[in-house]
Every structure is written in C-alpha cells, then in structure tokens.
Amino acid sequence: MKKIVDKSITGNFLLDILYKRNLINDEQLNRISKIQKNNRNELQKTIIELDILKKDEMMIALADEIGVKYVNLNDVNIDPTIVVLIPEEMARRHQLIAIDKDGNKLTVAMANPLDVFAHDELKIRLGYDIESVLSYGEDINRALDEVFGVTNEWDQVIGKIENMQVTVLKEEEKEVSDISAIDKGEEAPIIALVNLIILRAVKEKASDIHIELFGEDTLRVRYRIDGILHDVMSLPRNLHLAIISRIKIMSDLDIAERRLPQDGRIQVNVRGRNINIRVSTVPTVNGESAVLRILDPASILLDLDSLGFSNDILPKFISLIKKPNGIILVTGPTGSGKSTTLYTALNLLNSSEKKIMTIEDPVEYRLKGISQIQAKPKIGLTFAAGLRSFLRQDPDIMLVGEIRDRETAEIAVQAALTGHLVLSTLHTNDAPSSVIRLIDMGIEPFLISSSVIGVIAQRLVRRICPKCKKELKITSDIKKILDIYDIDSNEITLYKGEGCPNCKGTGYKGRIALFELMIITDTMRELITKNVNNRKLRETALQEGMCTLKEDGIKKVREGITTVDEVLRVAST
C-alpha cells in the first residue's frame, strides 16, 4: 500500500483514506493538494467539482473507514417535526440534522460523526440516545435551509445591521435592477436585507410578504405560501423604521407620512425575470405594517387545464366566455385567483379578429395583443372613466378590474347591452350573491337580468404534495361528510401528505381552484326581475344545474388532488 509522506500538504484524513483505498492516484492527489493549497475550498467539494470521484463514492469510502452508515439526504423524506428537535443554531454550528426518531433513539446525520463534542452536547441538551450517520455537508445545509427557511445570507446581513445605527436617505431610484445580484460587502446592509426578503419570497413562491410589529420588541416577517402564512424570521425592533422606509423608497411612497395608509408599486428583476410587487402600508398601534404582493408573470400559465375546471364545468365556462355580449363576473375574496381566471379567459379569446381592452389596478400581467390600461384614480382615470372611454374605441371585449361602485356597474351594463362582452370581478361569498350585490349598488333588477350572463365564484385549495402523498384512513367525521354527497366510503380512496422537504412539512404543494359556475337561465332572469332574495335565487340555481364550491371540492378529493380539510377550510356551502 502506498504511503503519503508530505503531511504538510496532503495531511488530510479524507485524502489518506481515498489514497489508501486506491480511489485516487498520485497525479490526482497532487492536483487536489495544489488546488487546496492555493484555494482553501472545502475538500469534499473540490474532489466532486474536479470530477475525480462521485459524491456517493467518496462518502461511502469515508463512512466505511470510520465505521458508520452513509445516508444521502437527497433520497430521504425528512420529517420537519424531527429536524426541529435540534435547535437550528446548534444544528448549523455542528453541521448536523436529525433525520429519524425511534423511541428514545435519535438518528442524526452529521458532516463529522467523529465530533465527540457534538455528540456530548446533543445527549446532554436533548436527552436522547444518539445514533450518528454520515452525510455530505452541503446536503445537510440545504436540508436545514428547507426546514428552517433562513439561509446564511440572512445571518450575514443581519449581523452587519444589528449593532449599527442605520440611516435611510431619500434616493432617486424607483426600481431595483437585479436583486439576485446582492453584494453585501458593497451594498448598504438595509438594502441587502430588504432585497433578501424579496428574493427569498420569490424563490419560495410566496404570494405575499407581511412585515409587521408584534408587541414592543418583535418585528416579524411572514410569507403567504399556498394561501397560508408562515413565519420566516424575527428582527430587532430598531430595524423597523429603516426597513419600512426602504420599501417606501423603492415604491415611490412618502417616507415622512406615517399616519395614513399608502399604496405603491415596485418592479424588480430576479435572475432575468421581471417581478411586479404591489405595496400597501398601514399605520397600526405598534407602528407601520407593510404587505408586499408578488406578481410574477412566470408563475401564471394561462391555460384552462392548469386552473382546475372539472370536466362538467369546463365546457360550460368555454361556452359562456364565447358569447358575443353580456357581463361575466368572477367573485371571491382577495387572493382567490380571480385575476388568473380572467387572464386565462382573455388569453383564450385573444385573436387578431377581436379588439380586447382592459382597465386594471394594477396591471398584474401584460398580455400580447391586448390594450391594457393602468387605472390612476388620483388623476381621474377610474374604472368608470376607463370603461366610458372604451365605448369610443370600438372594442369587442372589455375587462374592468373590479366593479366597486354604481357608476362602474351602470357603464358595464350599458356596454353589455350594446353588444360588448364585459368581464369583471366582484367581492361576494358565492355566485348568487353577486346579483344581490349589484341590486344593492342601485342597478335595476331588469337591467341585471338583461346583461349578466354568468357568474363564477372561486376559492383556492392546496394540492396534496405528490412526493409524500399517502393513503388516508377514513374517520367517522369524514364518513359523515361523504354521506352527505352520497359517496360510499368503501368505494373511495382518500389521501394526505405526510410532510417532506419538498412541501416543508405541510403535506401540501401548490394550489388548485374550486369553482361555482352559475349560468343565468330564463327561469333565473324572471326571478331576478322580481327581485327575489338570495336564498330563492340560490335554490333555483342549484335546480338549474349549478355545482357548489363544496361539491366541486369533493370531486377533487375523490380525484386525490386535495383533502376534505382543505375543502371545508375555504368552502362553507
């Protein structure tokens, strides 16, 4: 067996093992040693990057030598509830992660299983019997990032800020060029921190960022991912004013005004993608709160299959939007996917033979071949003013972001009655309620019955994570719900997500829409003209074939797309 002599250059435990096992030759050894001498990179990473050995080959040899098992974390479904048994600070300091628990035995993947100090600290602090296995260091770091959601970049930036006085000056810039190219050494720390908050949110596919004060000393950052808020980090209270001011500068808001709500917009570039961000600040008793809504054009697919229409609703929807005139309303709360549904409809209708115009606040996504107008209420360009001007532009199809008042509703009705197809949104809980809402605005029932041709109510539910999807045992409570819809619990298989790194332990990944499509039939027109109440209108709509949100949700449960709990969370009727 060859022996390494020059310990000053190659005196490394790993190199000794690989050389002794003839996994690297003299030439490769000298090459590695030279690179390590000139550039102190992590040795394991250097060997992999030089393509001298595959990661698993190297780690298996090391594990065999030190007498432990090697675990490739990329092949393991890591349970976040087990990972968090070890405090994040301790896990990162020793580069280790808990991956399994059996009774009082805790299996811990370590970059260095020979670290007796880490073993002792784990046993003393946690009280478990520790079984250590070997894993690649970068895989451990990545797994910790997946669970805890905070990268080393956070710590580096925050560390620079915590003990310094931050002063925010008014800047001329209104747009960040490329926030993914963060140089924390050159950039002001507070700018780097805000950029990191946005960058991480885009990476995590968050729809909203919430920055708000809780209590006297906690500034909390939360992301809304798949409709649910998740804590990301807590910051010192003294950073609050600087962060809010930076966001205001980026969105061209008044940094001196802290008593009134303000709305603005930011456009940033993340790795070549233009991201639009809608900013809202409001004063609270603790201090200003900021919410940033992320509008990522790359995240919208604009095809009907991706929306989640069931087979019986889809043909009705396509038939509805291809009508030559009338009003189509999409209803639901904020964040229920109304804009995506409308954009998808416009994308389907878009052709060179038709002129399509929109007025929106804001213009969330730009569509080729469609004239889109940004509403500007401060200068009088309201939804109503835009719609009125549209009628002189000879359009075939018009979209108005939201019917908020009587004036906008009246012009929409006028446009529909004069041969235009009008698409818009309304805030109501279900489809039949939209008719009552228009009546409450002051629109005559006979005008509503003549102009409105269909209403779609929608909600978003989370999809079961495909990587940890498992069969679910049907409980008595679930059986009762299935019985309501005449579903035999013996003939259906339900699923749930167990939780894995892919879904960050939630069991869900991505979202899909539930739909309630109400087509205005002749029978319903008569009832609307008679100004009947919402209950009667809903009963008639059901008799005419309307599928409720909950019924559509149960269909998706049967298909293994979502869970009963998710459907009940968003659909009460």
Side-chain angles (χ1 to χ4, degrees):
M1 186 72 66
K2 297 179 181 178
K3 185 178 179 181
I4 300 174
V5 179
D6 190 353
K7 289 286 184 181
S8 64
I9 296 177
T10 60
N12 181 282
F13 183 57
L14 175 60
L15 285 180
D16 281 342
I17 292 168
L18 299 179
Y19 190 81
K20 180 176 68 177
R21 291 171 175 257
N22 292 321
L23 292 173
I24 57 174
N25 55 36
D26 289 316
E27 181 184 347
Q28 291 169 331
L29 176 62
N30 292 331
R31 186 181 174 197
I32 294 169
S33 301
K34 185 176 181 181
I35 291 174
Q36 284 298 105
K37 185 177 181 181
N38 297 329
N39 183 6
R40 293 291 181 181
N41 285 336
E42 185 181 337
L43 178 59
Q44 294 176 3
K45 187 176 181 180
T46 298
I47 293 171
I48 295 170
E49 287 179 347
L50 292 175
D51 200 24
I52 292 173
L53 283 175
K54 300 297 183 185
K55 178 181 72 175
D56 285 354
E57 291 179 296
M58 176 179 64
M59 300 306 291
I60 288 171
L62 180 57
D64 184 56
E65 181 72 21
I66 62 180
V68 299
K69 179 183 176 184
Y70 164 62
V71 174
N72 186 338
L73 294 182
N74 295 324
D75 299 330
V76 177
N77 284 332
I78 297 174
D79 186 347
T81 61
I82 294 176
V83 175
V84 297
L85 292 174
I86 301 176
E88 181 186 5
E89 179 276 330
M90 181 181 176
R92 292 192 184 277
R93 175 159 46 88
H94 292 298
Q95 207 170 18
L96 51 83
I97 185 170
I99 59 173
D100 193 21
K101 180 177 174 291
D102 183 10
N104 198 50
K105 184 178 76 172
L106 189 66
T107 303
V108 180
M110 306 176 68
N112 181 12
L114 299 179
D115 188 343
V116 293
F117 297 105
H119 272 275
D120 291 344
E121 187 176 353
L122 283 170
K123 191 166 181 61
I124 293 170
R125 291 185 62 174
L126 305 180
Y128 289 103
D129 294 328
I130 305 300
E131 179 184 359
S132 60
V133 297
L134 176 69
S135 288
Y136 183 49
E138 289 203 359
D139 288 346
I140 293 175
N141 294 338
R142 175 194 53 76
L144 290 173
D145 288 344
E146 291 279 353
V147 174
F148 291 105
V150 180
T151 65
N152 291 330
E153 286 181 312
W154 291 112
D155 300 328
Q156 293 173 24
V157 174
I158 294 167
K160 288 187 176 184
I161 298 173
E162 279 186 322
N163 299 318
M164 65 181 288
Q165 184 68 33
V166 179
T167 303
V168 178
L169 302 176
K170 180 67 175 138
E171 300 179 21
E172 291 300 321
E173 66 168 308
K174 298 178 184 178
E175 183 175 315
V176 178
S177 55
D178 186 352
I179 66 169
S180 54
I182 299 174
D183 185 348
K184 293 173 286 297
E186 299 295 330
E187 232 171 4
I190 206 69
I191 295 175
L193 178 59
V194 172
N195 285 358
L196 271 173
I197 291 172
I198 296 172
L199 184 64
R200 177 96 187 165
V202 173
K203 179 182 176 182
E204 298 286 348
K205 294 183 171 57
S207 61
D208 302 87
I209 304 170
H210 292 246
I211 302 171
E212 49 211 338
L213 281 167
F214 284 83
E216 296 183 357
D217 57 1
T218 304
L219 175 61
R220 188 159 67 172
V221 179
R222 295 187 290 174
Y223 292 160
R224 187 178 295 280
I225 302 172
D226 292 338
I228 304 296
L229 281 171
H230 299 269
D231 282 335
V232 177
M233 66 187 309
S234 294
L235 296 168
R237 181 189 174 92
N238 66 329
L239 299 181
H240 171 252
L241 180 58
I243 290 173
I244 297 296
S245 296
R246 172 60 189 164
I247 291 170
K248 286 183 176 181
I249 288 171
M250 294 172 73
S251 51
D252 198 27
L253 299 179
D254 184 358
I255 63 172
E257 180 55 76
R258 301 173 193 163
R259 303 163 300 167
L260 298 173
Q262 296 188 69
D263 295 314
R265 295 174 189 83
I266 303 171
Q267 186 178 65
V268 297
N269 186 280
V270 179
R271 295 186 177 94
R273 291 158 51 200
N274 287 324
I275 307 292
N276 295 314
I277 300 172
R278 190 164 59 196
V279 177
S280 172
T281 65
V282 296
T284 71
V285 292
N286 292 321
E288 278 188 288
S289 168
V291 176
L292 287 70
R293 166 150 290 190
I294 299 170
L295 306 171
D296 182 2
S299 67
I300 185 169
L301 298 177
L302 297 182
D303 73 274
L304 291 174
D305 292 336
S306 68
L307 290 181
F309 280 108
S310 56
N311 292 333
D312 56 337
I313 295 179
L314 182 57
K316 296 178 183 178
F317 175 72
I318 294 174
S319 175
L320 186 67
I321 63 176
K322 289 190 175 181
K323 298 282 186 183
N325 59 276
I327 297 175
I328 300 173
L329 298 171
V330 181
T331 77
T334 300
S336 59
K338 299 187 298 295
S339 296
T340 302
T341 299
L342 287 174
Y343 278 122
T344 304
L346 289 183
N347 193 52
L348 182 66
L349 296 170
N350 193 10
S351 70
S352 58
E353 291 83 20
K354 293 179 180 177
K355 178 165 184 173
I356 303 175
M357 301 187 73
T358 77
I359 180 162
E360 308 163 62
D361 187 21
V363 175
E364 296 185 4
Y365 305 102
R366 295 187 180 183
L367 301 175
K368 189 176 181 180
I370 294 177
S371 300
Q372 296 174 269
I373 297 174
Q374 170 67 56
K376 297 177 182 177
K378 290 182 180 179
I379 62 172
L381 183 52
T382 61
F383 285 143
L387 266 181
R388 192 180 293 109
S389 65
F390 283 0
L391 295 175
R392 296 188 287 272
Q393 290 285 316
D394 188 31
D396 298 289
I397 301 167
M398 297 183 287
L399 181 147
V400 57
E402 182 184 346
I403 295 179
R404 297 174 179 170
D405 50 48
R406 178 175 179 173
E407 184 182 10
T408 307
E410 286 177 338
I411 299 171
V413 168
Q414 179 188 351
L417 294 176
T418 54
H420 303 88
L421 183 64
V422 181
L423 288 76
S424 189
T425 69
L426 204 62
H427 286 283
T428 60
N429 289 325
D430 58 16
S433 298
S434 59
V435 173
I436 309 303
R437 178 81 178 98
L438 290 174
I439 292 173
D440 290 342
M441 284 183 182
I443 307 301
E444 293 291 339
F446 76 91
L447 290 175
I448 297 172
S449 67
S450 302
S451 58
V452 178
I453 60 175
V455 183
I456 308 164
Q458 69 179 74
R459 300 288 190 278
L460 293 177
V461 292
R462 293 178 291 173
R463 291 176 178 265
I464 299 172
C465 175
K467 292 195 175 181
C468 61
K469 184 176 179 180
K470 300 292 182 183
E471 188 173 333
L472 172 67
K473 183 179 179 181
I474 298 178
T475 63
S476 57
D477 290 338
I478 295 175
K479 187 178 184 302
K480 289 177 183 177
I481 296 170
L482 297 177
D483 289 342
I484 295 173
Y485 297 95
D486 296 323
I487 300 173
D488 187 345
S489 58
N490 295 318
E491 296 180 357
I492 185 174
T493 303
L494 300 185
Y495 298 91
K496 64 173 288 188
E498 290 193 327
C500 66
N502 181 57
C503 61
K504 291 184 168 44
T506 64
Y508 298 97
K509 186 72 172 179
R511 290 190 289 177
I512 192 171
L514 307 183
F515 293 100
E516 179 177 276
L517 177 58
M518 183 178 77
I519 305 292
I520 306 298
T521 62
D522 291 339
T523 303
M524 296 184 68
R525 293 186 203 283
E526 291 180 15
L527 293 176
I528 294 171
T529 304
K530 293 177 182 177
N531 199 7
V532 299
N533 60 34
N534 187 59
R535 181 181 60 81
K536 179 62 176 176
L537 197 61
R538 183 173 183 80
E539 288 175 356
T540 306
L542 290 171
Q543 292 170 6
E544 296 287 298
M546 182 182 78
C547 174
T548 67
L549 288 167
K550 188 180 286 186
E551 287 172 342
D552 192 41
I554 294 298
K555 290 178 186 176
K556 291 177 170 63
V557 170
R558 297 189 71 161
E559 294 168 9
I561 296 172
T562 189
T563 63
V564 173
D565 289 342
E566 269 298 285
V567 174
L568 296 179
R569 181 177 67 85
V570 303
S572 59
T573 56

